[in-house]
Amino acid sequence: MPIARRVVLASRPQGAPTLENFRFEEVELSEAQQGEVTLRVLYLSLDPYMRGRMSDAKSYAAPTPVGGVMEGETVCEVIRSRHPDFAPGDKVRARTGWCTDAVVKADIVHHFDTHGAPITTAVGVLGMPGFTAYSGMKVIGQPKDGETVVVAAASGPVGSMVGQIAKLAGARAVGIAGGKKKSDFVREELGFDAVVDHRSKDFASDLEAACPKGIDVYFENVGGHVWDAVLPLLNQFARVPVCGLVAQYSGSGAAEHDRLPATMSAILRRSLRIRGFIQSEFVKDHYGAFEKEIGPLVASGRIRYKEDVVDGLERAPDAFIGMLTGKNFGKLLVRMADID
């Protein structure tokens, strides 16, 4: 029987994940049954939400069980198919988790159209991260001509799309990034109007200077001290789509300080709209429009993106741990070492 390699959750992290929380296994692949397909994984997407799945705290999705394969979306090649919608050689998107090969039910496998862009974009700018930015901005943020839109983690797959969508709407895009290299990319390659380095000791005053008319839309990816700087600058009727709080994902549960009183006071006094969301809420009503609108813009180069690719499944845990502290630069992907 063919052998697949996979990464499972060895133990639940206490604070930041470590390599000891992951375990590599080899398993025999079963034969695909009716309604199933055998997949060879080409690229694995690594995303911040996976940290939440490592915890058993109550959330919007069930946690990964200890001993279970780490959650993840992949770009795959169909090797064998027992379903009429798929044929050997098809390139597809699937939720196989962290593995080199898999036999899965066809209902978690999807065809995709990158409009001529590389297949990696199917799990990046034209996949879940891109759609997260698109749906959060279209449904909640709703940027308007002349407004100021701010996004943290601006060089990442979600933040970079948020700023470019803001520009398409005629808004002013202000990015928050970590370090000169990322800041230069956001300004020069992505075309943001201004960039602020959150590592600066003058971060709060730098952000205020970059937003002289205040902030109308803040797309929240981070939380923590970034939110502390953003909150005083939010204008009346500002909108805040909340899709991530990466600064808090590996915390012990004890906050640096209680942000709730100041946040609630601002919500009341300035009539703020703060709305948490999971991108899957909007798939039914908006995914088709996303593919139709954004796909050609990516293929033509009008919407830019950056990918950070590491080789080999064995590097996935270390790359994932680094991502949670901002070591990646762009959409983080694992390319399987045995790709032809």
Side-chain angles (χ1 to χ4, degrees):
M1 299 290 286
I3 300 296
R5 290 181 295 127
R6 65 185 190 180
V7 179
V8 303
L9 180 64
S11 59
R12 300 205 184 278
Q14 302 299 315
T18 67
L19 293 179
E20 287 68 35
N21 299 130
F22 304 90
R23 184 174 69 247
F24 288 85
E25 294 182 345
E26 291 188 349
V27 295
E28 291 186 346
L29 282 185
S30 60
E31 286 289 337
Q33 303 300 308
Q34 193 64 39
E36 294 182 332
V37 292
T38 301
L39 301 174
R40 175 184 180 227
V41 177
L42 304 180
Y43 289 92
L44 164 67
S45 173
L46 296 180
D47 300 284
Y49 78 85
M50 296 170 178
R51 175 61 184 86
R53 303 293 175 87
M54 298 175 76
S55 169
D56 59 1
K58 186 176 181 180
S59 185
Y60 64 89
T64 299
V66 174
V69 179
M70 284 291 296
E71 168 77 16
E73 193 171 35
T74 53
V75 175
C76 305
E77 179 183 357
V78 176
I79 303 301
R80 287 178 293 278
S81 176
R82 298 289 305 278
H83 191 282
D85 289 349
F86 303 98
D90 285 355
K91 301 299 190 297
V92 296
R93 182 168 52 209
R95 302 201 71 83
T96 66
W98 296 22
C99 62
T100 59
D101 308 84
V103 177
V104 299
K105 293 186 180 299
D107 60 2
I108 68 164
V109 181
H110 304 280
H111 289 289
F112 58 80
D113 181 4
T114 62
H115 298 265
I119 61 173
T120 51
T121 59
V123 290
V125 66
L126 294 178
M128 182 274 290
F131 182 65
T132 298
Y134 178 90
S135 58
M137 288 288 277
K138 291 288 185 178
V139 179
I140 305 168
Q142 300 179 4
K144 300 175 181 62
D145 187 34
E147 289 190 326
T148 296
V149 175
V150 174
V151 60
S155 68
V158 176
S160 60
M161 176 70 88
V162 167
Q164 292 179 90
I165 290 173
K167 295 292 291 181
L168 290 172
R172 184 169 180 270
V174 177
I176 299 171
K180 184 177 186 304
K181 187 176 180 180
K182 291 182 179 180
S183 296
D184 288 348
F185 171 76
V186 170
R187 183 186 299 104
E188 296 168 10
E189 295 293 325
L190 299 180
F192 281 49
D193 297 284
V195 188
V196 180
D197 188 345
H198 68 79
R199 297 175 182 172
S200 168
K201 61 181 178 60
D202 300 317
F203 168 61
S205 58
D206 291 345
L207 182 63
E208 183 176 12
C211 304
K213 296 182 179 180
I215 298 172
D216 300 293
V217 180
Y218 173 59
F219 197 102
E220 178 64 284
N221 289 318
V222 175
H225 81 286
V226 173
W227 175 249
D228 293 337
V230 166
L231 183 61
L233 304 179
L234 293 173
N235 290 330
Q236 188 175 25
F237 306 121
R239 291 82 69 196
V240 183
V242 180
C243 88
L245 297 167
V246 70
Q248 299 165 214
Y249 285 170
S250 295
S252 63
E256 298 169 13
H257 61 269
D258 187 358
R259 297 181 170 92
L260 185 60
T263 299
M264 293 299 290
S265 176
I267 291 171
L268 174 62
R269 289 184 291 105
R270 283 176 259 160
S271 300
L272 305 181
R273 182 187 184 193
I274 299 179
R275 160 78 149 90
F277 75 102
I278 308 302
Q279 55 83 28
S280 56
E281 301 169 29
F282 303 129
V283 167
K284 181 179 178 181
D285 293 332
H286 297 281
Y287 202 86
F290 162 70
E291 290 185 311
K292 184 176 180 181
E293 179 180 347
I294 302 299
L297 295 176
V298 171
S300 69
R302 188 173 177 189
I303 284 184
R304 308 293 293 274
Y305 65 95
K306 185 174 180 61
E307 295 175 338
D308 189 342
V309 182
V310 300
D311 284 303
L313 183 63
E314 65 277 3
R315 295 187 61 189
D318 189 60
F320 174 74
I321 291 168
M323 176 190 64
L324 294 176
T325 58
K327 291 184 179 179
N328 63 302
F329 187 1
K331 176 72 194 81
L332 186 57
L333 300 163
V334 178
R335 179 169 49 211
M336 298 307 172
D338 58 351
I339 292 176
D340 296 332

